[in-house]
Amino acid sequence: MTTLFKNARLIDPEAGSDELGALLVHDGKILASGEEAEVPKDIDRAGLDIVECNGKCLAPGIVDIGVKVCEPGERHKESYRSAGLAAAAGGVTTMVTRPDTTPAIDTPEVLEFVRRRANEAAPVNVLPMAALTKAREGREMTEISFLLDAGAVAFTDCDNVIRDTKVFSRALTYARSCGALVIAHPQEPGLSKGAAATSGKFASLRGLPAVSPMAERMGLDRDIALIEMTGARYHADQITTARALPALERAKKNGLDITAGVSIHHLTLNELDVADYRTFFKIKPPLRAEDDRLAVIEAVASGLIDIISSMHTPQDEESKRRPFEEAASGAVALETLLPAALRLYHSGQLNLPQLFRAMSLNPARRLGLDSGRLSQGAPADLVLFDANVPFVLDRYTLHSKSQNTPFDGARLQGRVLATYVAGQPVYRRD
């Protein structure tokens, strides 16, 4: 099948360009893009599908690292089918899923179940991560080599920080020997235990148990020392404070194989959004001060922070409709990732190539994927969106089984019009 996207505003994060042109897709791959994208003579024009974009934005599909799908164990919160539909509606063409399920994805058998179930149910690409230690308890590392053979793309214990430095160093050393990517949650576990907010005047006035931003810095400092010792490939899932940025910058300048991400919520919300104990704004790590938010945005713009992700974490009503301290952490974000990110574009803080560098190109590169680009030969995983259309989000219209979004009732600007995986439409807005 051949598809020609005409009169599109092509967002190319690899070239850093944003310009009008056309894009030609053939057999699930990008054949040509730009002003001169024409159909070759050897391709049958009778079966040509022409998509008139009318100046709307066409970009590489989002590669979202850190999506929680609650299969197995808590399918009532989110299934691969519902998560896949939400991803397609949000322009996410590849979900990189977390292993913090019940039970944890820590054996090749469980991983094989997850892969088979995801491929059957989800309309988008699903790449599973596996646990770094058994049951994510931080005591004994998993069979990393076997899990790699079974299809794991990275290894993480998610927000269960490994306290035993010797266990973590051994896991990093073994991962290094296998070429595996380790994703960690930089926090000092003692300081951050039980925290519901970031320490400061606001947390004190609200009477909330809080954690200092230094807990993130301390956790990152420890991890950097271990990376230097072991030579492992490492990705920090969320860097959310200004105090952690100098350590990250030094580690990169010293040539360590380290990248860092941040969630869309930490880029677009701050600690004051909690307001009157609104539990949909309770996430992990907790929302930060406005100065931290602005510093992290600057780090994304400069490339110091590499990746923006949704950190999609479904929680049911029973988990959220509780006192703030007791409520579960997390928010759904597969469908809100792009419109929330466009807040940064409309405010002039990030341009569209910068956004898609962080949401598509860099995560694909970190995982060794060919996607995230508009180059010839790249997979035709694409999102067509209108960056300017305004709307008010109604959480009950989301495709996720859980609707715990902090953006409920928020005024957003920018909507997905269509999503394509390997050149085939998996979502079209009515």
Side-chain angles (χ1 to χ4, degrees):
M1 183 176 177
T2 305
T3 304
L4 178 65
F5 296 87
K6 294 177 61 178
N7 301 316
R9 184 178 167 188
L10 300 176
I11 312 301
D12 189 343
E14 193 173 33
S17 60
D18 175 357
E19 55 191 23
L20 287 175
L23 186 135
L24 183 65
V25 171
H26 180 65
D27 287 344
K29 302 279 187 181
I30 295 174
L31 199 60
S33 65
E35 294 182 2
E36 305 300 325
E38 296 182 356
V39 182
K41 294 180 180 179
D42 58 343
I43 291 179
D44 183 13
R45 291 175 176 264
L48 180 65
D49 181 23
I50 297 178
V51 177
E52 176 56 62
C53 298
N54 295 312
K56 301 300 187 289
C57 299
L58 185 66
I62 296 169
V63 179
D64 193 5
I65 296 180
V67 175
K68 180 171 182 178
V69 179
C70 304
E71 286 190 69
E74 297 177 301
R75 197 169 181 271
H76 66 284
K77 291 184 178 181
E78 192 79 288
S79 67
Y80 277 101
R81 180 62 180 168
S82 62
L85 292 173
V92 175
T93 53
T94 299
M95 296 191 298
V96 184
T97 58
R98 302 190 332 234
D100 52 342
T101 50
T102 307
I105 302 172
D106 59 359
T107 66
E109 292 78 15
V110 177
L111 185 68
E112 179 58 34
F113 163 79
V114 165
R115 288 188 62 200
R116 184 172 63 252
R117 173 67 185 148
N119 288 332
E120 290 172 354
V124 300
N125 304 311
V126 180
L127 302 177
M129 297 188 284
L132 187 61
T133 65
K134 293 182 179 179
R136 300 171 51 243
E137 292 178 345
R139 297 175 183 172
E140 182 182 357
M141 68 179 175
T142 55
E143 297 171 324
I144 293 175
S145 180
F146 292 157
L147 286 161
L148 276 175
D149 291 342
V153 296
F155 295 83
T156 178
D157 279 356
C158 304
D159 57 1
N160 277 12
V161 178
I162 299 176
R163 294 172 176 265
D164 191 322
T165 306
K166 183 169 284 189
V167 171
F168 195 23
S169 66
R170 285 174 174 170
L172 287 169
T173 300
Y174 192 76
R176 168 71 176 84
S177 70
C178 299
L181 175 66
V182 173
I183 298 180
H185 183 71
Q187 284 289 318
E188 202 294 313
L191 285 175
S192 58
K193 183 179 180 180
T198 300
S199 59
K201 181 179 179 180
F202 179 80
S204 298
L205 289 172
R206 289 293 187 271
L208 295 173
V211 59
S212 167
M214 284 302 294
E216 182 172 284
R217 164 73 181 277
M218 292 165 68
L220 183 62
D221 280 338
R222 182 199 73 155
D223 289 1
I224 288 172
L226 291 174
I227 304 162
E228 188 173 354
M229 184 174 77
T230 61
R233 298 174 60 219
Y234 174 96
H235 176 74
D237 64 351
Q238 296 186 76
I239 297 297
T240 62
T241 66
R243 297 205 175 188
L245 296 175
L248 175 63
E249 187 173 15
R250 284 194 301 272
K252 287 193 169 189
K253 286 183 177 178
N254 289 336
L256 301 183
D257 193 351
I258 180 173
T259 52
V262 64
S263 85
I264 189 59
H265 300 117
H266 289 97
L267 287 172
T268 55
L269 304 170
N270 66 28
E271 60 185 354
L272 302 181
D273 286 302
V274 171
D276 296 325
Y277 307 101
R278 293 192 288 174
T279 58
F280 280 10
F281 289 83
K282 185 181 180 184
I283 59 176
K284 189 182 289 186
L287 291 173
R288 305 301 194 183
E290 179 67 5
D291 288 345
D292 285 317
R293 187 184 77 88
L294 295 175
V296 171
I297 292 173
E298 290 180 11
V300 173
S302 69
L304 178 59
I305 289 180
D306 308 86
I307 293 169
I308 298 172
S309 61
S310 70
M311 295 308 295
H312 178 83
T313 306
Q315 300 288 2
D316 57 19
E317 297 288 320
E318 292 180 1
S319 301
K320 281 292 188 181
R321 300 296 187 188
R322 308 182 69 179
F324 196 88
E325 294 177 38
E326 301 174 12
S329 297
V332 294
L334 281 167
E335 282 182 76
T336 57
L337 173 57
L338 181 55
L342 288 172
R343 282 183 165 184
L344 305 173
Y345 163 67
H346 290 297
S347 66
Q349 293 166 304
L350 295 172
N351 59 41
L352 290 178
Q354 285 174 322
L355 276 176
F356 279 89
R357 179 188 68 191
M359 294 192 298
S360 301
L361 179 62
N362 286 347
R365 281 179 170 172
R366 194 54 170 149
L367 296 171
L369 308 177
D370 290 332
S371 55
R373 303 175 296 129
L374 295 184
S375 306
Q376 183 178 359
D381 296 344
L382 305 166
V383 54
L384 179 66
F385 65 97
D386 185 338
N388 298 312
V389 60
F391 69 101
V392 176
L393 182 73
D394 177 0
R395 71 187 184 101
Y396 295 107
T397 64
L398 298 177
H399 290 77
S400 293
K401 285 189 175 183
S402 299
Q403 280 109 21
N404 53 304
T405 173
F407 295 110
D408 184 36
R411 295 181 182 275
L412 299 172
Q413 193 172 357
R415 297 200 98 154
V416 173
L417 303 176
T419 304
Y420 299 83
V421 173
Q424 298 298 313
V426 294
Y427 172 80
R428 282 197 176 107
R429 184 163 185 79
D430 296 333

